[in-house]
Amino acid sequence: MRRFTFRTGIRWKIATAIAAVAALVVVALSLVVHSGARTSMLDSAREVQLDRVQFISRNVDVGRKPAMGAKVNDPDLPAELREKARSGRRGTYIQESPKGPEVWAAVPLGNGQVLSLHTTFKESAKLVRDLDRALVVGSLTAVVAGAALGVLIGGQISSRLRKAAAAAQRVAHGDPDVRVRDAVGGVVRDETDDLARAVDAMADALQQRLEAERRVTADIAHELRTPVTGLLTAAELLPPGRPTELVRDRAQAMRALVEDVLEVARLDSASERAELQDVALGEFVSRRVTALMPEASVRVVADEIVSTDPRRLERILGNLLANAARYGQPPVQVDIEGRVVRVRDHGPGFPEDLLREGPSRFRTGSTDRAGVGHGLGLTIAEGQARVLGARLTFRNVAAPGGVDREGAAAGAVAVLWLPEHAPTATGSFPIIQLPG
């Protein structure tokens, strides 16, 4: 069963937490204030009522009638208070009523009778209600203010984290000059700066390691070039025969591998620059595909003049066609639509790891290690596309073993998206949003 997950920003999480804490605090304080104020008012009412009934009892003792509504042996007197007064003690009693709390006070008289007085303290009830309304308004104000403060604080933290994430993504996409700490900025120093410094340190370490690996690869390929050239020259001097053909074939394959490794090393160093020319994309691709793979079909949906490097574009087309011929199945179709070039075969499709992670050197996706290829073709094509400022994507028409809508076999599609604005002579791009 798929687990349900609720995703929200850190800004709203902080705001919710602060609002919840503020609500708990104000509710607790409101209860304490309400209880204390009500207790204080009732205690004051008890004392006032008791003073009144004592004053009246002194007048009754000298033969006067009870005043202010006081009664002798009132039948409505609460039994608890009556028993207390008959035992010779004075006391008070609180009785709740819809109009407000009724405060009873009773004192014993000399002849065994009980003098009592009760009054409904409406003003006290009104004060308590007014106090409760003020507490509710204050509580809501405190919760709203806490939530607003949480949004403000969370927004600042969220903004810094988003800037850090954007800078980290630029580093992941191959921009070595980006520093997360500079992207975060700000005057306040917090854990975000520690995170930014840690990411910068990690990026520097990875960059140094990749650079060291690139140099080692380039040095090895460069050192191999001379002996491989000598091996090819020596193979030409061998007498004709099947063994000689095998030696020449393997020597040629080794030289091609060395050249591909050197090209990958140059592309990784980001030192390659495009030599731009204006070409009609449809006509150019049609001629190159006819020369590289005559059996492939070419369809020009819409032709367009593009500024690009013809040599690098031809290299990309050659590698895509070679990959389709090696791992796919005929027919191979090439479509040109504006600045987009699609190369499709009808084979089993690209491997899932290539679709997920992109091309990787020395990984062909074939389980047969005796087959041809070293997994450098698509890697070089992607690197050359990066030099042109283009984007190379890969997808499958249908899942392996499936069929598409026309009933044809599943196939692999490589799509080259050429930019509207080509890179400058320095390899940079104009500050213009690229389509797509």
Side-chain angles (χ1 to χ4, degrees):
M1 181 179 293
R2 187 175 179 181
R3 185 178 180 182
F4 175 77
T5 56
F6 179 74
R7 186 177 183 273
T8 184
I10 191 172
R11 170 189 300 181
W12 303 111
K13 291 179 181 178
I14 293 177
T16 303
I18 293 180
V21 172
L24 291 175
V25 171
V26 297
V27 167
L29 289 178
S30 298
L31 292 176
V32 171
V33 171
H34 171 83
S35 177
R38 190 173 187 276
T39 302
S40 177
M41 290 180 182
L42 292 178
D43 290 343
S44 177
R46 286 173 183 268
E47 293 178 1
V48 170
Q49 198 76 330
L50 192 59
D51 291 341
R52 287 177 179 176
V53 76
Q54 286 179 338
F55 174 77
I56 296 172
S57 67
R58 287 194 291 269
N59 293 333
V60 172
D61 288 338
V62 296
R64 296 178 182 177
K65 289 185 177 182
M68 295 188 296
K71 296 180 180 180
V72 177
N73 297 328
D74 190 348
D76 296 330
L77 181 66
E80 179 181 349
L81 185 58
R82 180 183 294 111
E83 295 298 327
K84 187 176 183 178
R86 285 178 177 176
S87 64
R89 295 178 297 168
R90 61 184 182 177
T92 59
Y93 184 83
I94 303 296
Q95 189 174 24
E96 297 293 340
S97 69
K99 297 181 180 180
E102 292 186 357
V103 181
W104 290 82
V107 293
L109 296 176
N111 53 5
Q113 296 179 328
V114 176
L115 177 67
S116 62
L117 175 68
H118 79 279
T119 306
T120 302
F121 282 82
K122 298 180 180 180
E123 292 298 326
S124 298
K126 183 176 181 301
L127 288 175
V128 171
R129 287 194 297 269
D130 293 341
L131 176 63
D132 290 341
R133 281 195 293 268
L135 289 175
V136 171
V137 173
S139 300
L140 292 177
T141 304
V143 172
V144 173
L149 180 62
V151 170
L152 179 62
I153 297 175
Q156 293 179 348
I157 298 176
S158 177
S159 176
R160 290 166 64 85
L161 290 176
R162 289 182 185 276
K163 291 179 181 178
Q169 286 206 352
R170 291 176 59 189
V171 173
H173 291 161
D175 192 345
D177 297 328
V178 176
R179 288 296 174 268
V180 179
R181 178 64 190 85
D182 297 335
V184 171
V187 179
V188 180
R189 294 292 180 264
D190 53 20
E191 289 79 1
T192 310
D193 298 272
D194 298 335
L195 174 63
R197 281 191 290 269
V199 173
D200 288 339
M202 180 182 66
D204 291 338
L206 290 176
Q207 186 67 25
Q208 292 174 3
R209 185 171 181 177
L210 291 175
E211 181 65 21
E213 292 180 357
R214 185 196 65 80
R215 286 198 302 267
V216 170
T217 303
D219 293 343
I220 292 175
H222 185 75
E223 293 299 328
L224 285 175
R225 175 185 271 179
T226 301
V228 168
T229 303
L231 180 61
L232 278 172
T233 303
E236 296 294 332
L237 301 177
L238 294 176
R242 181 59 180 169
T244 300
E245 293 178 2
L246 292 175
V247 171
R248 289 175 181 173
D249 179 70
R250 292 298 89 192
Q252 289 284 0
M254 184 177 293
R255 184 173 69 174
L257 174 60
V258 170
E259 294 298 332
D260 286 347
V261 172
L262 282 174
E263 186 173 0
V264 170
R266 289 194 300 269
L267 292 172
D268 287 344
S269 66
S271 60
E272 295 286 284
R273 296 292 179 264
E275 299 177 1
L276 304 179
Q277 297 180 22
D278 291 337
V279 297
L281 187 61
E283 179 186 357
F284 177 85
V285 173
S286 299
R287 287 190 285 106
R288 293 300 186 272
V289 172
T290 302
L292 295 170
M293 184 181 287
E295 66 274 16
S297 62
V298 181
R299 183 170 64 114
V300 181
V301 179
D303 199 359
E304 189 170 340
I305 303 298
V306 298
S307 180
T308 187
D309 189 329
R311 180 180 64 84
R312 298 184 188 278
L313 181 57
E314 182 177 2
R315 177 66 161 153
I316 296 172
L317 288 173
N319 285 12
L320 294 180
L321 292 173
N323 185 82
R326 182 174 298 143
Y327 301 107
Q329 295 177 6
V332 177
Q333 301 173 354
V334 180
D335 297 336
I336 303 98
E337 185 176 356
R339 297 176 177 274
V340 180
V341 180
R342 296 181 180 86
V343 178
R344 176 189 175 183
D345 64 66
H346 290 76
F350 291 115
E352 290 298 327
D353 53 356
L354 186 144
L355 296 177
R356 183 174 57 256
E357 303 171 8
S360 178
R361 61 199 69 178
F362 300 108
R363 185 179 63 187
T364 63
S366 175
T367 57
D368 183 12
R369 301 309 299 172
V372 295
H374 302 91
L376 297 178
L378 294 183
T379 303
I380 292 174
E382 188 178 50
Q384 294 289 6
R386 190 165 53 248
V387 175
L388 295 179
R391 184 160 54 98
L392 185 60
T393 61
F394 306 93
R395 64 181 178 87
N396 290 333
V397 175
V403 295
D404 60 10
R405 294 180 180 178
E406 290 81 13
V413 181
V415 185
L416 178 66
W417 310 75
L418 291 172
E420 182 178 356
H421 300 276
T424 63
T426 60
S428 60
F429 293 85
I431 307 178
I432 299 177
Q433 181 69 31
L434 295 178

